[in-house]
Amino acid sequence: MSGMKIDQTQIVAQALVLLNREGLDGFNLRALAKLLNVQPPALYWHVESKAALFALMAAEVYGKALVAVPEGLAWRQWLLCFGRSLRHALLAQRDGARLCAIAPPLRDGNHESALIAALLAAGLSRNLALTYESSVIALALGWSIYEQNAALREYLAEMVDIEKSFEIGLQAMVAGFPARDA
């Protein structure tokens, strides 16, 4: 098999395509290599492991959520917009919530900075920015995991309007955040 020249960006993009097609349970590096028309060992020149690939894929999902949030918002508005945007990004990707829940953190320093930059610019301390951002991520991840599990989604939908319930929880959480460290 004569392979084409690949890079990490192509690998991550095609990995997300494969995830949409096969789901997390069917995802494997052999299938990804086939999709990229390369031998499986070629992937390891660009990504050290499946876990590292999952970290890059999750960062891409978070990145999609970040770019959807308008600039110049007050921090509470920014958190609300990011929470909604993240939930939509997670739901747009098959098993997106599970992927982001199991992916190891991307430890390049840039990922954390990008996630809290708007909150720091709005005057929050690093500690509060990280705390609030993590809380919003946890809420969006939790609801998205429910929504991407057919049985849980059906069960919840019998009791509550899922969209409305997520929004109520998000607004209540963000409204309760103090503006300064205690």
Side-chain angles (χ1 to χ4, degrees), residues 21-110:
R21 190 170 68 208
E22 302 296 329
L24 199 55
D25 295 330
F27 185 92
N28 65 68
L29 294 180
R30 197 174 303 266
L32 178 58
K34 184 176 181 182
L35 186 63
L36 288 162
N37 195 31
V38 299
Q39 294 295 321
L43 297 174
Y44 293 103
W45 284 96
H46 305 283
V47 181
E48 70 184 42
S49 66
K50 188 174 179 180
L53 178 58
F54 282 175
L56 292 167
M57 293 165 67
E60 185 69 21
V61 172
Y62 285 113
K64 288 176 184 177
L66 280 172
V67 299
V69 179
E71 292 183 24
L73 297 175
W75 66 268
R76 287 184 200 278
Q77 280 306 114
W78 190 93
L79 284 167
L80 291 170
C81 286
F82 178 73
R84 294 175 194 125
S85 176
L86 178 58
R87 180 172 161 263
H88 291 293
L90 292 166
L91 294 175
Q93 179 68 53
R94 181 175 175 185
D95 291 337
R98 280 182 57 209
L99 169 72
C100 289
I102 67 166
L106 190 60
R107 297 195 180 270
D108 68 356
N110 297 328

Side-chain angles (χ1 to χ4, degrees), residues 82-144:
F82 178 73
R84 294 175 194 125
S85 176
L86 178 58
R87 180 172 161 263
H88 291 293
L90 292 166
L91 294 175
Q93 179 68 53
R94 181 175 175 185
D95 291 337
R98 280 182 57 209
L99 169 72
C100 289
I102 67 166
L106 190 60
R107 297 195 180 270
D108 68 356
N110 297 328
H111 185 64
E112 175 190 301
S113 298
L115 282 172
I116 64 169
L119 300 176
L120 294 174
L124 290 180
S125 70
R126 182 177 181 280
N127 182 57
L128 285 182
L130 287 169
T131 299
Y132 296 170
E133 186 71 10
S134 297
S135 297
V136 168
I137 289 170
L139 180 71
L141 268 175
W143 275 101
S144 298

Side-chain angles (χ1 to χ4, degrees), residues 1-23:
M1 176 187 292
S2 132
M4 59 184 237
K5 192 160 179 85
I6 59 172
D7 63 23
Q8 192 177 76
T9 302
Q10 292 170 307
I11 292 170
V12 172
Q14 290 304 304
L16 290 168
V17 168
L18 182 61
L19 181 62
N20 270 335
R21 190 170 68 208
E22 302 296 329

